[in-house]
Amino acid sequence: MTEDTMGVGASKAAGEEGRRLLILVFILLSTFCEISSANFRAREKQIIDEIIGPANYDKRIRPAGANDTGPAIVHINLMIRNVQTISDVKMEYSIQITFREQWIDQRLTFDNIGGRIQYLTLTETDMVWMPDLFFRNEKEGHFHKIILPNLYIRIYPDGGVLYSIRISLTLSCPMNLKLFPLDRQQCQLLMASYGWTTEDLVFLWKDVDPVQVTKNLHLPRFTLEKFITDYCNSKTNTGEYSCLRVDLVFKREFSYYLIQYYIPCCMLVIVSWVSFWLDQNAVPARVSLGVTTLLTMSTQTSSINSTLPPVSYTKAIDVWTGVCLTFVFGALLEFALVNYASRSDKHREKMKEKFDEQKKQWEAEHAAALQTAMQAQTEDGHTFAMRPLVSRNGGMGSENVHPCEIHLQPSRMSRCRTWLAKFPTRSKRIDVISRITFPLVFAFFNMAYWSTYLFTEDEEGNPK
């Protein structure tokens, strides 16, 4: 065997030996990591058993405050995940939140093994002391338990405790609907201690981002305009209790009500004016048009009121529907007046014709009597010419006298009378006046309505 062949065999044997060593080191490291991980988890279990063991910890005792004498301080923050419904009838709203509480419990301090343990996680709330917080304006509420209860408790090495839970709540929200649907509603979320007074327990808002709102928050008829955090401590005959408050300001979306309520009502009012342009003798058409628009307007008003609670004050939508209903009813009454005026005109025309016939008959009889008298005078032989004292041109016996003429600028009233004189009957004049009066009055009402309610401030001073 040559030296080259022996060198190649030695190098292959050395390569195989190196690979075996690498595999052995890898196996040893994996085994060591598994043992270390198992020891680490076992150490976490040991810490939990030590700090929450019955011999060291009693969850019935609240944590000590500053200098072991003050009240326990609990910092609150929450995240609004979804606002599901806002009911005007029930005056309530449903909300889903992630609720968090943070406090210090010196009894829960532990060794973090050189920073290797950042925090311990628990999924059962009955293992440590919990603040007795409740929602003061809550009607219904439930925790989320699919697939497991949506909550956790984190215990930090310095004794800090973080409690987080997902909750769905239905909360009462007293509303002021005077400006409906141009209103803003301020709904509150009240959180207070039930049994611990401020001498033992104090709730405080977290310094940074006490309230968070999800980015894709969407409401069908409202917009969350802003939120305000505040305190609402209450005093009773059993003591003073700590309380936190969140004011959620919801602005109502007006476009829906403009399309569903305001534009249809305006169209019904305009349709009722069509009867002013119909012939006054078209009684079935004008009556059916007036009655149909009146009934439709009444149905529209009833449907609006069915979606709102019965309140003792007048709402902005009530003013609108009430005035629109008045205009439609006024158009129907206008036809009744036109019909009455038409019958009166016919009666006056008949009386005038009868009077003209009687006048013609009287003039004929008078002319016959005058002719008979003149014939009798002619037969007696005494004739004389009679010259009228007043000429036909207006002069006193002389045709050369010119009458005095005065030219005056016609006034606005006289021009209106001249324009109305083009319409011979009173019924026609009523229709013509209504064609102008009704739209003008409705336009003035719209100007007053929108200028009043669009620039009116609510009780909290928020401009509309």
Side-chain angles (χ1 to χ4, degrees):
M1 184 179 292
T2 63
E3 293 181 358
D4 293 338
T5 305
M6 293 177 62
V8 172
S11 63
K12 288 184 178 180
E16 290 293 334
E17 188 67 22
R19 281 196 291 271
R20 291 194 187 97
L21 289 174
L22 288 175
I23 293 172
L24 181 60
V25 170
F26 179 75
I27 294 173
L28 291 174
L29 288 175
S30 300
T31 305
F32 177 76
C33 290
E34 290 178 359
I35 294 172
S36 298
S37 177
N39 293 335
F40 181 69
R41 299 304 173 191
R43 179 56 181 162
E44 286 187 350
K45 178 181 180 302
Q46 183 181 0
I47 292 173
I48 293 175
D49 292 337
E50 289 177 357
I51 62 176
I52 310 181
N56 300 325
Y57 187 84
D58 190 348
K59 66 179 181 180
R60 297 173 298 177
I61 307 300
R62 70 168 180 85
N67 300 324
D68 295 335
T69 57
I73 305 299
V74 178
H75 291 85
I76 304 294
N77 73 94
L78 56 90
M79 178 180 181
I80 300 176
R81 305 177 66 92
N82 187 19
V83 179
Q84 298 169 350
T85 58
I86 301 177
S87 175
D88 297 316
V89 178
K90 297 181 180 180
M91 290 196 177
E92 64 183 22
Y93 71 105
S94 299
I95 188 172
Q96 183 183 126
I97 63 173
T98 298
F99 178 74
R100 306 183 187 97
E101 295 176 311
Q102 290 178 283
W103 67 93
I104 299 294
D105 192 343
Q106 296 295 337
R107 299 171 295 175
L108 299 177
T109 58
F110 62 89
D111 183 13
N112 61 358
I113 314 177
R116 298 184 62 187
I117 301 178
Q118 296 181 358
Y119 53 80
L120 302 175
T121 302
L122 305 178
T123 57
E124 297 180 4
T125 59
D126 57 351
M127 300 178 67
V128 297
W129 175 87
M130 295 291 298
D132 61 341
L133 182 141
F134 78 106
F135 297 93
R136 284 171 48 178
N137 59 334
E138 176 248 338
K139 288 186 174 180
E140 295 179 357
H142 67 272
F143 302 133
H144 294 265
K145 299 182 179 180
I146 299 177
I147 299 175
L148 293 174
N150 298 166
L151 63 91
Y152 65 81
I153 297 177
R154 290 177 180 175
I155 303 176
Y156 293 88
D158 60 349
V161 181
L162 170 62
Y163 171 66
S164 178
I165 187 171
R166 189 161 71 102
I167 311 173
S168 289
L169 299 168
T170 300
L171 306 165
S172 63
C173 178
M175 300 181 182
N176 186 350
L177 301 174
K178 289 183 179 180
L179 300 178
F180 176 89
L182 301 167
D183 57 335
R184 285 176 173 85
Q185 298 300 333
Q186 182 170 303
C187 297
Q188 295 181 342
L189 177 60
L190 304 176
M191 299 164 286
S193 173
Y194 191 84
W196 298 98
T197 63
T198 53
E199 297 178 355
D200 298 315
L201 179 61
V202 173
F203 291 122
L204 296 177
W205 285 112
K206 188 179 178 181
D207 296 334
V208 180
D209 293 334
V211 177
Q212 299 171 326
V213 181
T214 184
K215 294 182 180 180
N216 58 350
L217 181 64
H218 175 72
L219 300 173
R221 298 185 185 180
F222 289 88
T223 300
L224 181 58
E225 194 172 55
K226 62 180 179 180
F227 57 85
I228 304 170
T229 58
D230 201 355
Y231 296 90
C232 53
N233 292 2
S234 61
K235 291 184 179 181
T236 65
N237 57 0
T238 58
E240 182 179 0
Y241 297 90
S242 182
C243 175
L244 302 181
R245 184 181 72 189
V246 182
D247 295 330
L248 303 174
V249 180
F250 296 103
K251 180 182 178 182
R252 197 182 299 272
E253 290 290 343
F254 179 68
S255 58
Y256 169 81
Y257 300 94
L258 179 65
I259 297 173
Q260 295 294 325
Y261 296 156
Y262 283 89
I263 292 179
C265 291
C266 188
M267 293 174 63
L268 286 174
V269 172
I270 295 175
V271 167
S272 67
W273 299 341
V274 175
S275 63
F276 303 154
W277 300 86
L278 298 179
D279 187 74
Q280 59 187 9
N281 296 322
V283 177
R286 298 188 67 165
V287 170
S288 60
L289 181 62
V291 173
T292 302
T293 52
L294 182 62
L295 293 177
T296 307
M297 190 67 215
S298 300
T299 304
Q300 181 78 355
T301 304
S302 300
S303 65
I304 294 173
N305 292 328
S306 63
T307 60
L308 297 173
V311 293
S312 59
Y313 48 82
T314 302
K315 303 179 289 293
I317 193 66
D318 294 336
V319 175
W320 175 265
T321 55
V323 172
C324 290
L325 188 61
T326 302
F327 271 93
V328 174
F329 184 67
L332 185 60
L333 290 183
E334 188 270 348
F335 171 67
L337 182 61
V338 167
N339 187 266
Y340 173 78
S342 177
R343 289 186 284 108
S344 178
D345 290 337
K346 291 181 180 179
H347 178 71
R348 291 178 61 185
E349 187 176 354
K350 289 181 181 180
M351 295 297 295
K352 184 178 180 181
E353 291 177 356
K354 184 176 180 181
F355 177 76
D356 291 341
E357 290 177 359
Q358 291 178 354
K359 184 178 179 180
K360 290 180 180 179
Q361 184 179 0
W362 179 82
E363 289 177 351
E365 292 176 355
H366 181 71
L370 182 62
Q371 186 176 4
T372 302
M374 292 179 64
Q375 289 178 358
Q377 291 180 358
T378 304
E379 291 175 358
D380 293 341
H382 303 282
T383 61
F384 57 91
M386 298 180 64
R387 186 174 182 177
L389 295 177
V390 181
S391 66
R392 293 182 179 179
N393 294 327
M396 296 295 293
S398 177
E399 296 181 355
N400 296 326
V401 178
H402 297 282
C404 180
E405 296 180 358
I406 301 177
H407 298 279
L408 298 176
Q409 186 70 21
S411 62
R412 183 176 300 178
M413 186 63 67
S414 63
R415 288 198 297 267
C416 292
R417 290 177 179 176
T418 303
W419 178 69
L420 289 176
K422 298 179 181 179
F423 308 100
T425 61
R426 291 186 299 173
S427 58
K428 190 65 176 178
R429 293 175 185 175
I430 294 173
D431 271 343
V432 172
I433 294 174
S434 299
R435 294 173 189 173
I436 301 174
T437 305
F438 273 72
L440 283 179
V441 175
F442 190 68
F444 284 134
F445 162 71
N446 273 270
M447 293 174 59
Y449 180 87
W450 296 113
S451 61
T452 298
Y453 286 104
L454 285 178
F455 300 102
T456 300
E457 294 185 356
D458 56 16
E459 294 182 355
E460 289 76 19
N462 298 318
K464 295 294 105 184

